[in-house]
Amino acid sequence: MTEARGPAGPNGGMHTRHAPGTPCWVSLMVHGLTTTQEFYGSLFGWEFRPGPQQLGPYVRALLDGAEVAGIGQLPPDRHLPIAWTPYLASDDVDVTAEKVRLCGGTIGVGPLDAAEAGRLAIGSDPSGAVFGIWQAAEHQGTGITGVPGTPAWNELLTVESVSVAKFYETVFGYEEEAVVSADFDYLTLQIEGRPVAGIHGVGHALPRDRGPHWITYFEVADADGAVERVMDLGGHVLSPPKDGAHGREATVADPEGARFCLIESSR
């Protein structure tokens, strides 16, 4: 996360419709649905209720009654990387999915209807990073941001930013703003001048076991305390808390290995 980052929404803001291209939801597919609920419920104070079951058992996480994320259960024979996946808003998921294919990406799931909630597809960009596409109906996506326990930012970690940025700009209509630095490869994807996501080219520092991937930042009130809580709950610390331009940050993983970042905002 860099100086170029902008807030995903106002502090404590409630959301209705998300503009096309905006990260509007994050979802996690795991093997142990119950134990994963216990982990994130204890860490973020989430409560859960059932969601659409098209892709198997699935629950939505709620914070103060507002939906903030989803967690689903992988079939026992599916050995996919356990990772948080951002969903990008679309007015027509079928059209967006076709653009993904035409621009060198792939669509692995869908497009398909998620009951009355909306329509979705799951794809990957030309570098292999997985993301979702969401066309809202009854379910608009993340209902609140800017408070502890909510998604704060989504960032693509990849080898280099420029080529993959062209893919996202063509598919979703983003503008871009680069961080001008001789040794730092970073740019933000923007909608109407507002940063909505970041792309960070990290070269050979990319984890060998993951390849290019999206990572979600979750807001916390106390980064150091949250890291301690992660370890107490059976998770792992990948990068200990440090002060950044937007607050105190840490990178952690849940007990099944899903990586995510914690951010104690300095606002």
Side-chain angles (χ1 to χ4, degrees):
M1 188 178 290
T2 76
E3 283 85 351
R5 178 204 167 218
N11 294 356
M14 300 297 293
H15 295 277
T16 52
R17 181 183 176 277
H18 295 265
T22 305
C24 61
W25 187 245
V26 289
S27 191
L28 174 65
M29 299 296 289
V30 297
H31 293 290
L33 184 57
T34 300
T35 54
T36 300
Q37 289 180 73
E38 292 171 353
F39 173 85
Y40 287 101
S42 297
L43 180 61
F44 292 137
W46 290 350
E47 298 177 338
F48 300 91
R49 69 181 176 201
Q53 308 289 304
Q54 272 74 4
L55 301 178
Y58 188 83
V59 296
R60 289 180 182 154
L62 287 81
L63 188 67
D64 296 330
E67 295 176 341
V68 294
I71 302 175
Q73 183 167 309
L74 287 166
D77 59 343
R78 296 295 296 274
H79 299 287
L80 300 174
I82 307 298
W84 280 101
T85 300
Y87 280 72
L88 309 175
S90 171
D91 285 339
D92 189 327
V93 69
D94 294 82
V95 170
T96 302
E98 186 59 25
K99 286 183 180 179
V100 168
R101 296 187 186 99
L102 291 173
C103 292
T106 60
I107 297 295
V109 177
L112 56 84
D113 290 326
E116 291 76 32
R119 190 163 171 80
L120 68 87
I122 300 173
S124 58
D125 66 28
S127 74
V130 175
F131 62 92
I133 308 166
W134 182 253
Q135 179 183 339
E138 290 184 0
H139 176 61
Q140 296 294 327
T142 303
I144 186 173
T145 58
V147 297
T150 62
W153 185 246
N154 289 281
E155 194 165 276
L156 173 61
L157 299 181
T158 189
V159 176
E160 58 86 23
S161 67
V162 174
S163 59
V164 74
K166 298 302 180 187
F167 166 83
Y168 287 98
E169 290 164 18
T170 303
V171 173
F172 293 100
Y174 297 121
E175 304 157 349
E176 71 172 65
E177 181 176 322
V179 173
V180 180
S181 173
D183 58 354
F184 191 63
D185 179 12
Y186 193 96
L187 58 83
T188 57
L189 300 174
Q190 305 196 354
I191 296 174
E192 298 178 350
R194 179 174 62 93
V196 296
I199 299 181
H200 189 183
V202 297
H204 296 299
L206 197 67
R208 291 183 179 180
D209 61 333
R210 290 289 295 118
H213 62 282
W214 284 91
I215 192 162
T216 298
Y217 286 72
F218 290 95
E219 185 74 39
V220 293
D222 175 2
D224 294 83
V227 165
E228 292 290 335
R229 188 66 176 151
V230 166
M231 292 188 290
D232 290 344
L233 294 168
H236 310 281
V237 178
L238 305 177
S239 178
K242 63 181 179 180
D243 293 324
H246 295 278
R248 196 157 174 78
E249 307 171 10
T251 304
V252 298
D254 69 19
E256 287 204 26
R259 302 166 185 251
F260 58 100
C261 292
L262 304 170
I263 172 75
E264 177 189 342
S265 294
S266 56
R267 59 175 178 266

